[in-house]
Amino acid sequence: MDPVIENYEFLSSITAQMRVAATHGQWDQLVELEKECSRHVEIMKTQDVGIPPDENTRLRKMELIRKILADDAEIRNHTEPWVAQLQRIMHSTGQERRLQQTYSSEY
């Protein structure tokens, strides 16, 4: 099998695992997989150059990229609400802290 396709297949398997972790709210697992994904992408950047692929390889690569992007969209569907909630909590905590500092310094 073409090494470029092997790389994309491996990346696709990582993003599929990330999608599952996000779906189940396994945030620590998702973070670890994201790190692995980033490392693999860096490796791929140096290897995915050179001779243009044949038509079958090009089509398979496009198919895998579409799957990776679909997984990414699904991951975002699960993580964006969580991130927004976390931002609200942090903002609220910051406001509480400022209020507490304001009122505790007056007395």
Side-chain angles (χ1 to χ4, degrees):
M1 182 183 287
D2 184 304
V4 171
I5 294 301
E6 287 178 358
N7 280 329
Y8 278 92
E9 296 220 355
F10 184 71
L11 184 62
S12 177
S13 73
I14 295 171
T15 59
Q17 292 174 56
M18 290 171 66
R19 180 181 38 79
V20 170
T23 301
H24 292 100
Q26 299 168 334
W27 308 122
D28 292 338
Q29 177 71 16
L30 180 62
V31 168
E32 289 306 312
L33 288 165
E34 195 280 327
K35 289 177 187 175
E36 183 178 352
C37 184
S38 294
R39 285 190 298 270
H40 193 70
V41 167
E42 287 304 312
I43 292 168
M44 287 175 65
K45 285 180 183 179
T46 63
Q47 297 176 351
D48 194 8
V49 293
I51 302 169
D54 62 41
E55 186 63 14
N56 288 337
T57 301
R58 187 183 70 76
L59 291 173
R60 179 66 179 143
K61 183 177 171 181
M62 287 176 43
E63 178 183 322
L64 288 164
I65 289 171
R66 279 192 215 98
K67 184 191 173 301
I68 291 165
L69 292 173
D71 285 342
D72 183 62
E74 184 67 21
I75 293 163
R76 289 178 194 277
N77 285 340
H78 292 284
T79 58
E80 286 176 356
W82 179 76
V83 169
Q85 179 182 5
L86 184 59
Q87 287 174 333
R88 284 192 300 276
I89 291 169
M90 291 175 67
H91 180 72
S92 175
T93 302
Q95 285 180 330
E96 287 178 23
R97 191 177 321 115
R98 285 190 295 278
L99 283 171
Q100 188 176 31
Q101 288 172 347
T102 299
Y103 288 111
S104 65
S105 66
E106 290 182 4
Y107 298 105

